[in-house]
Amino acid sequence: MTDTEATRMAHTTDPAGTVAVVGTGTMGQGIAQIALVAGHPVRLYDAAPDRAAKAADAIFGRLDRLVEKGRMSADARDAAAARLHPAGSLDELADSVLVVEAVVERLAVKQELFAALEDIVGDDCLLATNTSSLSVTAIAGALRLPGRFVGLHFFNPAPLMPLVEVVSGYATDIASATRAYETARAWGKTPVACADTPGFIVNRLARPFYAEAFAVYEEQAADPATIDAVLRECGGFRMGAFELTDLIGHDVNEAVTRSVWEAFFQDPRFRPSLAQRRLVEAGMLGRKAGRGWYAYEEGAHRPEPHTAEPAQPPAYVV
């Protein structure tokens, strides 16, 4: 082991320590799977009864698929499964060395959760939020030890997406930020340190990507399928804005947009889309609801883009 590797290991969360994940939706399950595969004992907690147990079953299913694809041995799967435990109460997280929260994007809910956790876990436990848009500083504001609080923002699907934003609030200790950064690296991720600014890095940059596409649609210049095709075929993006927000979920995406817009004092560059708000109000939240900009029910027709046929480029453009 080199001196650099030894230094990194010294700042990493104990590989044998328990990692707790609070919130067992898509992101919570993904984060739990990452920590589990990295070798940690993992405890899952959710305020809704039985949801943690159902999340554990879903994770077991994903581990089975990794074995089927040859990406994990059966022995490693069995060992990982033995380390995963649903928790019936927050008190069961007392021995955790790291707690990652992935609950609803509401400041008051997160503040209340971490205030309760502070009375349960040890003072050396690192507390982290997976918030995508709320202020890390504000979430930690009422804590007794705000220096041990950081943002660990994973991206969906968390087991596959390499990027993790490691967000330092105004009160975050350098040691805590370093520990979070090196832990994400030890988990095979690509951590990026960033300040506690609205939207952090990715969501700050992504807002105009969505906003401009939605504005073109709302001005009736083109339909979603055509705009998505232009973004893919001309812009080089893997997915267009409409496809991507259907995948993310409009309730999540619209809430992040609104949060960034308000944090930037309603700067028009980040203005939320009325058309997207209507989707949320109608319960058409994207893939998870079977309908968003596009339909995802079995046998649903995918509209064709109104784009020109492929042709040779002109000799010159004026």
Side-chain angles (χ1 to χ4, degrees), residues 289-306:
R291 179 81 191 192
W293 301 112
Y294 303 107
Y296 297 94
E297 301 94 341
E298 186 175 352
H301 171 70
R302 181 67 177 261
E304 294 294 328
H306 296 84

Side-chain angles (χ1 to χ4, degrees), residues 4-180:
T4 301
E5 290 171 333
T7 300
R8 286 176 177 169
M9 287 298 294
H11 291 292
T12 301
T13 295
D14 179 4
T18 297
V19 173
V21 178
V22 180
T24 59
T26 301
M27 288 305 300
Q29 291 179 30
I31 296 166
Q33 181 180 331
I34 294 166
L36 198 62
V37 172
H40 293 272
V42 174
R43 289 203 177 92
L44 284 172
Y45 173 77
D46 199 292
D50 301 325
R51 190 168 290 176
K54 291 178 181 177
D57 289 340
I59 294 171
F60 294 151
R62 283 198 285 273
L63 295 179
D64 288 340
R65 288 193 289 276
L66 290 177
V67 173
E68 292 169 3
K69 295 177 181 178
R71 297 177 184 172
M72 183 181 232
S73 69
D75 288 344
R77 174 202 56 200
D78 294 343
R83 294 193 301 270
L84 181 60
H85 304 284
S89 69
L90 284 178
D91 291 335
E92 295 180 41
L93 313 183
D95 63 343
S96 302
V97 296
L98 168 62
V99 179
V100 184
E101 163 270 316
V103 302
V104 64
E105 285 284 271
R106 294 178 189 164
L107 179 60
V109 173
K110 293 179 187 290
Q111 288 175 325
E112 182 179 353
L113 169 64
F114 282 109
L117 282 169
E118 233 187 358
D119 292 334
I120 295 169
V121 300
D123 287 354
D124 58 347
C125 177
L126 186 65
L127 299 179
T129 175
N130 184 58
T131 185
S132 57
S133 61
L134 297 177
S135 166
V136 171
T137 303
I139 297 172
L143 294 181
R144 175 172 52 85
L145 298 173
R148 48 113 166 240
F149 190 85
V150 297
L152 268 180
H153 181 213
F154 294 79
F155 293 83
N156 189 30
L160 299 180
M161 298 293 283
L163 181 64
V164 176
E165 292 176 323
V166 182
V167 188
S168 293
Y170 278 30
T172 302
D173 294 334
I174 292 177
S176 297
T178 302
R179 183 176 159 198

